[in-house]
Amino acid sequence: MAGGVAGVSVDLILFPLDTIKTRLQSPQGFYKAGGFYGVYAGVPSTAIGSFPNAAAFFVTYEYVKWILHTDSSSYLMPVTHMLAASVGEVVACLIRVPSEVVKQRAQVSASSGTFHIFSNILCQEGIQGLYRGYKSTVLREIPFSLVQFPLWESLKALWSWRQDHVVDSWQSAVCGAFAGGFAAAVTTPLDVAKTRIMLAKAGSSTASGNVLSALHAVWRTQGLSGLFAGVFPRMAAISLGGFIFLGVYDQTRSFLLELGRESP
């Protein structure tokens, strides 16, 4: 429940920034992809997918942490967080990718409705069309989570140690913003590759889902600037997203646990 509430909150609040980032990464160019027009195009897909996606991630993340229970003082704690976050992303992407495919196509074609795009994908490409870019999404999300979640947990632990009590929800949110922004910067090329694969025409070489091939094509045509297209809106969105997402998650989780303790 806490993960789902956090996921819906952050995705709906930051949707316009995500649209701008997608259009900056689009092979047709920012203005041809829609520019600043219709920045909420594709929001129904996100609204439907956000809750189960974030819920699936945190259920898996917390469960794997529990299975791999490591003493908080152990040097293996970051490894536990890395493994938990990686498994969580693999599971969550089963829900996230179809939602992301529909959303991104709506973002670069604001005149088409979300349901129209969804039905077109099913008719023309079948169910595999909804999972186009699954590998590239997982390959983007796992490195992202390998950086973000151990850094988030470490910053919280350091802050808790400095003030001699567990961090408050707003402090967890600040840690989430720093961790998210840093992780966003270093994984932007993988995000560009994922976007290109999802937006490629069916049957093209890019649509096959080869991440290295997509990265090479961007490097060949646009160089380093192409690989880091959209890095600033991505960092801004994910820093703010980390603040909202992880802060709301901690706050909602604490509230629900307190509610559970008070219930007879």
Side-chain angles (χ1 to χ4, degrees), residues 128-176:
Q128 66 267 31
L130 290 172
Y131 280 93
R132 189 202 290 182
Y134 178 81
K135 287 188 294 183
S136 60
T137 304
V138 170
L139 285 173
R140 177 198 67 175
E141 296 297 349
I142 287 180
F144 180 86
S145 293
L146 287 176
V147 176
Q148 184 189 32
F149 280 89
L151 185 55
W152 175 55
E153 300 274 15
S154 298
L155 288 171
K156 286 198 301 177
L158 179 62
W159 204 334
S160 298
W161 175 74
R162 289 291 298 271
Q163 64 186 11
D164 206 26
H165 65 81
V166 176
V167 292
D168 298 323
S169 294
W170 72 266
Q171 293 171 322
S172 174
V174 171
C175 294

Side-chain angles (χ1 to χ4, degrees), residues 9-26:
S9 301
V10 71
D11 283 346
L12 294 184
I13 291 169
L14 300 181
F15 195 86
L17 270 176
D18 184 70
T19 299
I20 291 167
K21 183 269 300 181
T22 297
R23 290 174 180 176
L24 283 167
Q25 293 177 349
S26 169

Side-chain angles (χ1 to χ4, degrees), residues 72-244:
S72 58
S73 61
S74 172
Y75 67 91
L76 291 175
M77 183 58 81
V79 178
T80 298
H81 295 147
M82 286 178 179
L83 287 171
S86 299
V87 178
E89 290 296 356
V90 171
V91 173
C93 281
L94 293 172
I95 300 167
R96 182 182 306 152
V97 170
S99 171
E100 186 97 341
V101 169
V102 175
K103 178 201 74 175
Q104 291 204 319
R105 293 193 189 184
Q107 286 175 329
V108 298
S109 181
S111 58
S112 300
T114 299
F115 183 75
H116 177 71
I117 290 170
F118 175 75
S119 57
N120 268 0
I121 293 171
L122 282 180
C123 290
Q124 295 172 14
E125 302 176 59
I127 195 73
Q128 66 267 31
L130 290 172
Y131 280 93
R132 189 202 290 182
Y134 178 81
K135 287 188 294 183
S136 60
T137 304
V138 170
L139 285 173
R140 177 198 67 175
E141 296 297 349
I142 287 180
F144 180 86
S145 293
L146 287 176
V147 176
Q148 184 189 32
F149 280 89
L151 185 55
W152 175 55
E153 300 274 15
S154 298
L155 288 171
K156 286 198 301 177
L158 179 62
W159 204 334
S160 298
W161 175 74
R162 289 291 298 271
Q163 64 186 11
D164 206 26
H165 65 81
V166 176
V167 292
D168 298 323
S169 294
W170 72 266
Q171 293 171 322
S172 174
V174 171
C175 294
F178 277 105
F182 181 75
V186 299
T187 58
T188 295
L190 293 172
D191 186 57
V192 171
K194 187 265 314 177
T195 298
R196 293 297 179 92
I197 289 167
M198 286 185 171
L199 297 181
K201 290 183 178 178
S204 67
S205 58
T206 304
S208 66
N210 188 311
V211 177
L212 288 177
S213 175
L215 286 171
H216 183 257
V218 175
W219 170 261
R220 193 175 64 249
T221 56
Q222 295 175 273
L224 193 63
S225 63
L227 290 175
F228 283 90
V231 63
F232 293 114
R234 176 171 159 80
M235 283 180 67
I238 293 179
S239 291
L240 188 52
F243 183 89
I244 298 167

